[in-house]
Amino acid sequence: MTVQKLLDSGMFHIVNVGENPEREITVPFCCDLLSIAMGRAPAGCAWVTVMGNMNTLAVATLTDAACIIMAEGATLDDIAMKKARDQEITVMGTELPIFEAAFKVYQALQE
């Protein structure tokens, strides 16, 4: 499944569309501890988190995540929103808990 298909699915609301919506999503990844995410997030993942700061975007770039999904109603702060736009990082949001959001991505990948 591509990032664009996830954007078009309506499962999550769109916060920012990044530079490569045709990027393949490999797996959902859940983590709120940035140091763990930095070492373990697989390339191409849909990273589900509640951390909405600039460091989250830096880790997503470093790990080559396909997109970020802000769960549990979390939002990007103003600085992070500007960085997402400037660096063209795809960010989506949802009110769902982290696990449920990641499970939705997992199910969509199985189709």
Side-chain angles (χ1 to χ4, degrees):
M1 173 176 59
T2 65
V3 171
Q4 187 63 56
K5 286 184 182 175
L6 187 58
L7 289 165
D8 292 343
S9 74
M11 282 191 276
F12 309 114
H13 66 268
I14 299 168
V15 175
N16 189 64
V17 177
E19 68 180 337
N20 191 3
E22 293 308 314
R23 174 99 187 262
E24 287 290 325
I25 296 172
T26 57
V27 66
F29 177 75
C30 304
C31 187
D32 288 327
L33 189 57
L34 297 178
S35 60
I36 298 293
M38 192 169 18
R40 296 188 183 170
C45 70
W47 181 16
V48 187
T49 184
V50 297
M51 301 295 294
N53 60 43
M54 192 166 70
N55 293 333
T56 302
L57 299 172
V59 171
T61 300
L62 177 70
T63 61
D64 198 26
C67 62
I68 300 169
I69 301 168
M70 303 296 302
E72 302 190 27
T75 60
L76 295 176
D77 63 33
D78 292 339
I79 295 169
M81 188 65 214
K82 182 179 181 330
K83 182 173 178 132
R85 288 183 181 133
D86 291 348
Q87 293 191 344
E88 298 186 64
I89 298 169
T90 298
V91 181
M92 291 170 252
T94 183
E95 295 294 323
L96 292 172
I98 292 170
F99 175 80
E100 289 180 32
F103 190 61
K104 281 185 154 271
V105 173
Y106 175 81
Q107 288 176 314
L109 286 170
Q110 304 309 304
E111 295 176 356

